[in-house]
Amino acid sequence: MRNTLTIASRQFRSYFNGPVAYIVICLVMIVIGIFFWPAFFLSGRASVRQMFTLIAYCVAFAGPALTMGLLAEEKRSGTLELLITMPVREAEVIIGKFLAALGLWAVLLACTLPVPFSVSTLGNLDWGPVWSGYLGIFLMGGAVLAIGLSFSSFTDNQLVAFFLSCFVSFVLVLVIGWVLPFLGGAVANVADFISFSSHIEALARGVIDSRDVIYFLSITGFALMVAFRALESRRWS
Amino acid sequence: MSDVMIAARGLTKRYGPHRALDNASFEVNKGEIVGFLGPNGAGKSTTMKILTCYIAPSEGTATIKGADIWDDPVGARAAIGYLPESTPLYAEMLVAEYLEFMGEMRGLQKDALRKAIKKVVEECNLGGFYAQEIRTLSKGQKQRVGLAQALIHEPPLLILDEPMSGLDPNQAVEIRDLIRTLGKERTVILSTHNLAEVQVTCQRVLIISKGKIVADDTPQALTSRGRNRYTVLIKKPEKGYRDASARDVFAKVKGVDTIRAIEAEEGAVKLEILPSGKDDLRAELFKAAVDGGLTLLELRQHAQNLEQTFRDLTLTAAEAGEDEDEDEEDEHEAKPVAKASAKDEDEDDDEPASKSTDDKEKE
């Protein structure tokens, strides 16, 4: 446990020693600034649901950018060998890395808090859906980050990790939602179940359904397991 | 507790059909400084990665201070300070931050951590750049940070993979002296392909070739135990010369083990002959040349040194091997050695047996 936290804290600090954390946070803020406020004033309703939709779009790109280097870069530079030969278990390395990315994701979300506070000064904001929306977007971010981490564990090339995880999270977050109206029958049900956007939808409305929460948690758990296995597989190859 | 620090039994590592390590068994006792010597790709790094539990052997096992690499990898790792090849460090961290991180990973905290950092900073002489970013350090300084990291938890065993490669001579001497100091109270394994390094630093040498351990002895013993080596220079006939036929002539001599063609001047062929025993073969070789109708321009016997023992052991094993995928390596090895052998040619009682013989005249 202590090893996990040591790894997480080193990784978290190293985010802020490089440009990636700042770039990602700034870009998300800019996207929200450009697209949220015009829509907000047009609709004239005191709601931040639109912001969650925007963050959901952003995470499809931002998540992979945050996770691409986690293991790939350590493999490329060889530091992974030193890290793994510390008296730690592989699982601790994976969880530590994941917690660091999740921590940064939490920081990013905290940076968006001024938006609901501003909205609440302009109208009568219902805070229930805001917090449940934050919970949902936090969990969804966790799932995307875990997927990104697992791709980072397959390769020693950051760009490969970025594009593959970008593709997968793009499909899960956006593409399925777009094609859903054209599907029918069982396929539509499956697609609806897999799509991240349909699970975030209810949470953003203020409905905390355990199915949605469990869905994101299981995706996260599965992706971390894959990353763990991939890291472990170097022993046998 | 026994005096055995490392006991490796039957370590084998397969990558597909290729055996990077082939049934390697050895023991290292407490307090020894052992050099792993071998050409690139011989299996030195593979052995070290197995011992540090970074990769698992396909077969066999090893214990580090009693901890089995299969049953207790975390325990085995805890006893080891490891410096991987090419010294991977987190470039964006300060030396201070890095040591703190590595110390924490080793389970050191607060006062113990501070003390440990202070100690390694002194031992490895990091004072001058303690507050610098690692990316700004020179190769020698990075190497010292890497060593400090390996020492921070005062491990009983240090495993250093090519600790002196890529350093300039001054830095190399510095690191070598440091390793010798460290080796006074610890067991050290280091890998290298630099023979001079081994002779000064190590008490024991394991020579690895093609994944097999081909020698295990003190540097002195390896130097003196060697077999002599012969080179013959033969005149190339105007036409109809075949390399193989010249080799066959010498291969018939009793006690000849391997024959290799090496570089030669225009119109001549130079063969290197390695005997299997210690007997003087010069007379027999000369006779064979005469009988085989070869024009002998030169016949020399060379005394052995560690370099030649190394080459002898690694090349013989390489030639005996089935797969040919390491031909490249042989070339790497051959170049520096060829230069060195030119130097000591005059040492021994040379026998310039330049007599031209003609088959027909004799008959």
Side-chain angles (χ1 to χ4, degrees), chain B residues 50-350:
Chain B
I50 289 174
L51 293 177
T52 53
C53 313
Y54 182 65
I55 56 176
S58 313
E59 278 161 40
T61 185
T63 57
I64 311 289
K65 213 180 167 220
D68 192 281
I69 55 168
W70 290 101
D71 302 336
D72 186 12
V74 173
R77 287 168 183 169
I80 297 173
Y82 180 38
L83 179 61
E85 203 176 346
S86 74
T87 324
L89 304 168
Y90 296 107
E92 80 282 358
M93 291 177 100
L94 305 181
V95 175
E97 285 177 329
Y98 180 70
L99 291 178
E100 203 172 299
F101 170 63
M102 294 311 259
E104 279 175 30
M105 291 298 295
R106 293 293 190 177
L108 296 168
Q109 279 184 314
K110 296 189 181 122
D111 269 1
L113 179 61
R114 263 198 299 279
K115 267 185 211 147
I117 291 179
K118 194 156 171 263
K119 184 156 173 282
V120 293
V121 166
E122 269 167 30
E123 263 180 329
C124 302
N125 195 16
L126 307 180
F129 46 91
Y130 182 63
Q132 272 187 42
E133 255 184 67
I134 290 175
R135 76 171 91 240
T136 65
L137 303 182
S138 74
K139 182 108 207 285
Q141 290 171 327
K142 280 183 189 161
Q143 205 71 3
R144 272 159 37 201
V145 174
L147 273 173
Q149 159 281 126
L151 287 169
I152 199 155
H153 56 302
E154 306 197 15
L157 172 62
L158 270 182
I159 297 186
L160 312 172
D161 200 351
E162 308 217 346
M164 281 166 265
S165 72
L167 299 180
D168 72 34
N170 294 337
Q171 295 168 330
V173 169
E174 211 172 85
I175 297 286
R176 181 197 300 156
D177 289 345
L178 183 54
I179 291 173
R180 275 215 294 230
T181 319
L182 299 172
K184 281 182 187 142
E185 49 210 270
R186 289 182 186 82
T187 313
V188 180
I189 300 187
L190 61 93
S191 76
T192 177
H193 43 231
N194 183 340
L195 298 131
E197 207 170 86
V198 169
Q199 259 165 324
V200 265
T201 323
C202 304
Q203 296 151 357
R204 206 176 123 203
V205 182
L206 289 173
I207 298 185
I208 304 185
S209 174
K210 285 264 173 176
K212 290 194 171 79
I213 293 178
V214 291
D216 177 358
D217 221 327
T218 62
Q220 292 76 21
L222 282 174
T223 312
S224 61
R225 92 176 192 182
R227 296 167 282 172
N228 290 322
R229 195 170 60 89
Y230 304 88
T231 52
V232 290
L233 192 66
I234 16 179
K235 193 176 172 199
K236 208 175 202 166
E238 306 280 274
K239 52 188 169 183
Y241 171 77
R242 285 190 307 122
D243 231 16
S245 62
R247 284 186 197 214
D248 287 343
V249 167
F250 293 109
K252 272 183 239 152
V253 176
K254 202 171 161 238
V256 167
D257 188 39
T258 25
I259 302 175
R260 284 159 49 84
I262 50 181
E263 97 293 352
E265 55 205 79
E266 185 104 341
V269 182
K270 197 170 194 178
L271 296 176
E272 183 194 55
I273 299 171
L274 297 171
S276 53
K278 286 198 171 189
D279 298 338
D280 191 340
L281 294 179
R282 280 173 295 177
E284 281 83 355
L285 289 173
F286 177 69
K287 212 166 153 288
V290 174
D291 292 348
L294 296 171
T295 311
L296 199 57
L297 300 174
E298 193 181 281
L299 168 61
R300 281 179 180 198
Q301 184 184 46
H302 306 275
Q304 195 82 344
N305 57 22
L306 184 54
E307 199 151 337
Q308 278 155 10
T309 310
F310 171 75
R311 190 168 91 133
D312 191 356
L313 287 164
T314 52
L315 291 186
T316 311
E319 275 161 15
E322 284 164 24
D323 35 4
E324 316 257 295
D325 51 353
E326 278 172 53
D327 285 347
E328 225 181 336
E329 238 161 60
D330 299 348
E331 279 164 27
H332 285 311
E333 291 306 325
K335 271 178 209 159
V337 172
K339 260 187 238 152
S341 62
K343 254 185 286 165
D344 54 29
E345 262 179 13
D346 46 334
E347 278 172 15
D348 228 82
D349 39 337
D350 291 345

Side-chain angles (χ1 to χ4, degrees), chain A residues 74 81 84 87-88 234-235, chain B residues 49 54 56 77 82 90:
Chain A
E74 291 226 23
E81 185 171 344
I84 296 277
V88 296
R234 64 145 216 297
R235 300 192 67 200
Chain B
K49 282 177 181 160
Y54 182 65
R77 287 168 183 169
Y82 180 38
Y90 296 107

Side-chain angles (χ1 to χ4, degrees), chain A residues 210-232:
Chain A
S210 59
R211 278 176 303 181
D212 297 327
V213 173
I214 290 170
Y215 174 77
F216 285 130
L217 290 181
S218 13
I219 294 276
T220 308
F222 176 74
L224 290 181
M225 186 67 82
V226 170
F228 168 70
R229 288 289 172 211
L231 186 62
E232 213 187 27

